Amino acid sequence: MEQNNKECKSVVDGFQAPIKKAIQFSPPLYRQRYNFVKDLVDKHKPRKVADLGCGNALLIRTLKCHSCIELLVGVDINKNKIGSQRIEHLDPTDLADFPQVVFGYLSPAMIVISTPNVEFNPLFPAVTLRDSDHKFEWNRKQFQTWASDVANLYNYSVEFTGVGEPPAGAENVGYCTQIGVFRKIGAKATESCLAGQQEEYVYKIVYTISYPSLQQKEVRKYALVNEVYRQVQNLRRGYAVSLKILQDDENERLKDSGLIKFSGPVFTELEKSNIEKSPKPFSYGNKFYVPLERLFAYPKVNRLCDNVDMMRALIADTMQLNRDGSAVKVDLHDDND
């Protein structure tokens, strides 16, 4: 997390005084929430995911490349106020009905609820509620009490965590966004009625998108080959550039460690760790090699195949591999670089 160097000012009795520095999160807080859900999907591989309070559907678009998911559904309470509707946007009556609908009627295997932690708010300049549409915001005890009561009532377990770490010296306030992860106990979670009993809904369908299913081998193969090719070319270009700019000792150290950084996607800490632990690309003569294990460590590749052997089988007739089939092989230099 980073803090902005500019201090916010307020005017009290005609005098201007500094309040506090504005807090900025890196990655942004919304992206940390999405990455949290994405990591859960990577781990548990659900077939169906519903985003209640989907806003602009960015989370849904983030999850659509997961091959395990067959159905993605987004629901929001106000299509004209697309943004970030969550539990704290509900009126008291709707909040009272929320557990019965989600935990009782839908009864999925896992439920993830995120909500602002009001104890963090004093660290923001002139903030009482995070959003003008919020009906309330809970401290950690209030949220955990509500969540534990709901979990006990509907036969779920619940674990508490969050995203958005506080700055040094303010650790006692907890995460900026608090999260509860609920898991169904005992009886198998019911199949979501979202795909079945549409005549009972009061929801209005705004739009529907049908993607080619990644469950189909040829569709998955096409997506995988394109993603592998993209990653290989990104790595090749970065490696070729590094050969030209590595001159001082520090750059040599970075080259040896494989940590030279170029512009690209933002990875979670777990994703970065998995990539850095995997075998590094290398060159021999005018050829550039990317180990399949390295490619498999990249999130989008990992989600398209179950293991390295499956990846090898899907790309073998399209991409050139080295003799033992352990790496993709391409020319180190390209006339278009």
Side-chain angles (χ1 to χ4, degrees):
M1 183 181 67
E2 300 175 350
Q3 287 190 336
N4 195 321
N5 289 328
K6 295 182 178 179
E7 291 188 349
C8 300
K9 305 286 184 177
S10 66
V11 177
V12 181
D13 295 332
F15 295 96
Q16 190 178 58
I19 301 178
K20 53 177 70 74
K21 295 180 179 179
I23 294 176
Q24 295 180 332
F25 293 100
S26 180
L29 195 60
Y30 80 92
R31 179 57 64 184
Q32 292 187 39
R33 293 198 303 270
Y34 293 170
N35 286 341
F36 182 89
V37 175
K38 187 174 67 173
D39 287 343
L40 285 177
V41 171
D42 285 338
K43 180 178 180 180
H44 298 282
K45 301 188 183 306
R47 293 191 301 113
K48 300 178 182 179
V49 176
D51 183 6
L52 308 183
C54 63
N56 59 11
L58 181 57
L59 176 58
I60 289 177
R61 292 198 292 271
T62 300
L63 296 178
K64 72 180 179 67
C65 64
H66 288 68
S67 61
C68 62
I69 297 178
E70 299 174 7
L71 177 67
L72 279 169
V73 176
V75 178
D76 205 285
I77 60 176
N78 187 345
K79 75 170 186 177
N80 296 319
K81 198 164 185 177
I82 297 299
S84 57
Q85 279 71 20
R86 293 180 296 280
I87 184 173
E88 67 277 359
H89 292 260
L90 300 177
D91 291 313
T93 301
D94 294 326
L95 179 61
D97 293 336
F98 176 81
Q100 181 180 355
V101 173
V102 176
F103 290 83
Y105 181 54
L106 298 180
S107 190
M110 179 180 292
I111 300 170
V112 179
I113 296 180
S114 68
T115 190
N117 170 19
V118 73
E119 296 170 75
F120 198 100
N121 288 1
L123 299 181
F124 292 116
V127 167
T128 52
L129 294 178
R130 306 272 183 92
D131 189 291
S132 60
D133 186 56
H134 287 186
K135 308 301 187 292
F136 63 89
E137 289 178 356
W138 277 333
N139 61 34
R140 286 171 290 176
K141 182 178 180 181
Q142 289 170 319
F143 176 59
Q144 292 178 17
T145 298
W146 176 87
S148 298
D149 289 344
V150 169
N152 290 333
L153 181 61
Y154 291 97
N155 200 32
Y156 279 80
S157 64
V158 59
E159 296 178 4
F160 299 102
T161 183
V163 294
E165 293 186 354
E171 291 83 0
N172 62 307
V173 303
Y175 291 106
C176 184
T177 295
Q178 48 188 334
I179 296 175
V181 179
F182 302 78
R183 291 180 173 85
K184 188 72 173 176
I185 298 173
K188 182 180 179 181
T190 60
E191 286 291 326
S192 170
C193 63
L194 291 173
Q197 306 166 1
Q198 294 185 1
E199 67 277 3
E200 298 183 10
Y201 296 160
V202 296
Y203 300 115
K204 177 182 178 181
I205 296 179
V206 179
Y207 63 88
T208 300
I209 300 177
S210 296
Y211 292 99
S213 174
L214 291 172
Q215 301 296 317
Q216 299 171 293
K217 181 178 178 180
E218 289 305 313
V219 173
R220 185 186 297 201
K221 176 179 178 180
Y222 177 81
L224 177 63
V225 168
N226 277 280
E227 184 60 29
V228 167
Y229 178 82
R230 187 176 72 86
Q231 293 293 354
V232 168
Q233 292 304 318
N234 285 343
L235 290 167
R236 181 194 62 78
R237 283 191 290 268
Y239 189 90
V241 170
S242 73
L243 294 179
K244 298 177 182 178
I245 65 173
L246 293 178
Q247 296 176 349
D248 56 35
D249 293 339
E250 176 63 12
N251 281 336
E252 286 292 347
R253 183 190 67 79
L254 290 175
K255 177 187 176 185
D256 292 339
S257 68
L259 297 180
I260 298 172
K261 293 179 170 41
F262 298 90
S263 60
V266 176
F267 299 113
T268 66
E269 290 302 318
L270 177 60
E271 290 168 347
K272 286 190 290 186
S273 175
N274 289 337
I275 292 171
E276 291 173 359
K277 290 177 183 177
S278 64
K280 297 175 177 57
F282 59 93
S283 63
Y284 184 77
N286 64 346
K287 295 296 181 179
F288 179 64
Y289 300 83
V290 183
L292 297 190
E293 291 186 18
R294 181 76 171 194
L295 291 166
F296 186 70
Y298 283 88
K300 287 187 178 180
V301 175
N302 182 277
R303 295 178 195 120
L304 288 168
C305 47
D306 296 336
N307 50 56
V308 171
D309 290 336
M310 177 183 287
M311 177 171 60
R312 182 185 296 108
L314 289 172
I315 69 173
D317 62 348
T318 305
M319 308 194 73
Q320 187 177 9
L321 303 180
N322 64 348
R323 184 173 300 178
D324 64 3
S326 64
V328 172
K329 179 172 70 173
V330 295
D331 290 336
L332 177 58
H333 300 286
D334 190 296
D335 294 337
N336 296 321
D337 288 344

